[in-house]
Amino acid sequence: MSEAPPPAPDPAIEADPELSTDESDSTMGDDVWVAYSTSPWTPNIDSITSSRYTASLTSSIQRYPVENNRRYHATDVSYVMPNDEAELDRLDLTHQKLKILLEDRLLLCPVQDPKRVLDVGTGTGIWAIEYGDDHADTDIIGTDLSPTQPSWVPPNVKFEVDDCEEPWTFRENFDVVHCRYLAAAIQDWPQLIAQAFQFTKPGGYSEFQDYDLVYYSEDGTLTDDLPIQKWITTLLAAARDFGRDPCPGPKLAGYMRDAGFKDVQERKYKIPIGPWAKDKHLKTIGAWNLVQIEDGLEAFTLRLFTQVLGWKSDEVQVLLANVRKDLRNPKIHAQFDL
């Protein structure tokens, strides 16, 4: 099929003038990139090798290391985010933010009555659980580095401990491969998307939703001298030094075409951080976004700054205190992309 024409430029988000002097509100923002496509190819299942990280729940998987009072995955020290309760709560907040953004849709691709769905990097499992509740005849598998998902789930949902960057071992292909919010988590995006292509049934869909975490403003209110701009610039550079791309969003469609997907569709969404936008829908999204970003500042920063950049934990906390002030300042209208 022919590809869709490029979308028209997005209009700038208009700020709510009533919040211009209320410094208790945030004025940061972000955009969201979503790419989905259909697969025309049938893989040779017999040629698939086993993954060294696919595992059942064992005590060794739950021997989590602790750094700077945060708990991390036991199977992969190269993943920068913790897996403790604070981070799991933040992931659930992010899920709700994205549901509001996408108008309560769990998928954008036009799949009809899928029988098998894979949720890559399932996190808390909340997306897989909700999709399983809505689609009782669909079998859903969610994979992640740690078994942090709940034990009480719909009967058609199951979770596996697996590293998605290792060779996939599934014996059957999927009608849908779903993957979201793995910015700064993946070393080889083209390889990940190639595996999604390999395990998507002919006529099925793969859908990726991810960020471009570069902060910018459309009205010049985000300046280089602000702590939040210094923080995000340093954070993204540290992630790249660590071998993880923090800005995969704009590249997803290209990766999918290179992998062999056809009729690739791409959408971009702007998300203000904090309720500074005049538009009511964006104001609601921004309020959710502010909470999850503030809750995640330590999680985003600690491992990269202390292990990659050599900062002391106290130095990180001083920086983050100033970042929080900028997040709540309604005079700064910054955003990034999903």
Side-chain angles (χ1 to χ4, degrees):
M1 289 181 282
S2 61
E3 295 182 3
D10 295 318
I13 299 176
E14 184 178 358
D16 186 348
E18 295 182 3
L19 295 179
S20 61
T21 59
D22 183 357
E23 297 194 3
S24 65
D25 288 318
S26 163
T27 59
M28 298 305 297
D30 61 85
D31 297 351
V32 181
W33 291 85
V34 178
Y36 64 83
S37 183
T38 184
S39 171
W41 184 71
T42 303
N44 180 5
I45 295 296
D46 292 335
S47 68
I48 298 167
T49 58
S50 62
S51 167
R52 63 190 175 94
Y53 279 122
T54 300
S56 59
L57 178 57
T58 66
S59 60
S60 63
I61 295 172
Q62 294 184 301
R63 293 176 189 151
Y64 303 121
V66 176
E67 302 171 12
N68 302 305
N69 297 316
R70 300 300 299 261
R71 189 188 73 190
Y72 290 85
H73 297 272
T75 58
D76 192 349
V77 296
S78 64
Y79 184 69
V80 300
M81 299 296 287
N83 71 345
D84 51 23
E85 292 303 319
E87 173 61 8
L88 298 180
D89 288 345
R90 188 194 68 82
L91 290 174
D92 284 346
L93 283 171
T94 299
H95 171 77
Q96 295 302 327
K97 177 195 74 174
L98 293 177
K99 280 189 66 178
I100 296 169
L101 174 70
L102 301 179
E103 299 178 336
D104 215 34
R105 291 171 294 178
L106 294 175
L107 283 173
L108 298 182
C109 62
V111 65
Q112 299 291 327
D113 301 320
K115 299 304 179 185
R116 281 174 55 83
V117 172
L118 175 65
D119 184 28
V120 179
T122 193
T124 67
I126 189 170
W127 184 94
I129 291 169
E130 291 191 7
Y131 198 87
D133 277 335
D134 292 344
H135 300 81
D137 294 329
T138 302
D139 292 327
I140 299 110
I141 298 175
T143 64
D144 205 88
L145 291 172
S146 292
T148 54
Q149 302 79 32
S151 56
W152 293 97
V153 298
N156 55 326
V157 176
K158 72 174 183 177
F159 299 111
E160 296 180 1
V161 176
D162 197 9
D163 182 346
C164 66
E165 295 206 78
E166 289 293 309
W168 294 6
T169 62
F170 307 106
R171 304 304 301 178
E172 296 182 57
N173 288 0
F174 297 90
D175 300 288
V176 176
V177 175
H178 171 261
C179 181
R180 66 176 185 178
Y181 196 14
L182 292 181
I186 299 300
Q187 185 174 23
D188 191 341
W189 275 96
Q191 175 61 23
L192 174 64
I193 292 176
Q195 292 210 89
F197 177 77
Q198 182 180 12
F199 282 86
T200 301
K201 292 179 181 179
Y205 291 87
S206 283
E207 180 165 321
F208 293 84
Q209 302 177 9
D210 230 300
Y211 294 108
D212 178 349
L213 291 175
V214 173
Y215 283 30
Y216 65 95
S217 60
E218 296 175 307
D219 59 4
T221 54
L222 178 67
T223 56
D224 291 342
D225 60 320
L226 290 171
I228 192 166
Q229 182 69 335
K230 294 179 180 178
W231 165 73
I232 192 63
T233 301
T234 305
L235 183 74
L236 301 190
R240 294 186 182 102
D241 289 344
F242 202 56
R244 300 296 184 271
D245 186 358
C247 304
K251 307 167 191 173
L252 293 174
Y255 291 152
M256 296 185 79
R257 294 185 184 99
D258 290 344
F261 286 102
K262 303 299 182 184
D263 192 27
V264 177
Q265 306 293 314
E266 182 179 24
R267 302 181 188 181
K268 187 178 78 170
Y269 298 84
K270 295 181 180 181
I271 314 174
I273 301 174
W276 61 266
K278 185 176 181 180
D279 178 84
K280 185 177 180 181
H281 181 62
L282 291 173
K283 186 185 293 289
T284 300
I285 295 168
W288 281 89
N289 209 22
L290 171 61
V291 174
Q292 73 89 12
I293 288 175
E294 283 206 75
D295 286 356
L297 282 178
E298 283 191 356
F300 305 147
T301 311
L302 278 170
R303 180 170 264 191
L304 284 174
F305 274 54
T306 59
Q307 290 197 9
V308 178
L309 302 180
W311 287 41
K312 295 180 179 179
S313 180
D314 290 346
E315 294 174 322
V316 175
Q317 296 298 343
V318 170
L319 172 63
L320 296 185
N322 290 319
V323 172
R324 290 185 181 93
K325 292 178 182 178
D326 284 348
L327 282 170
R328 299 171 185 176
N329 181 353
K331 297 179 181 178
I332 305 170
H333 302 152
Q335 56 202 47
F336 61 92
D337 303 338
L338 172 99

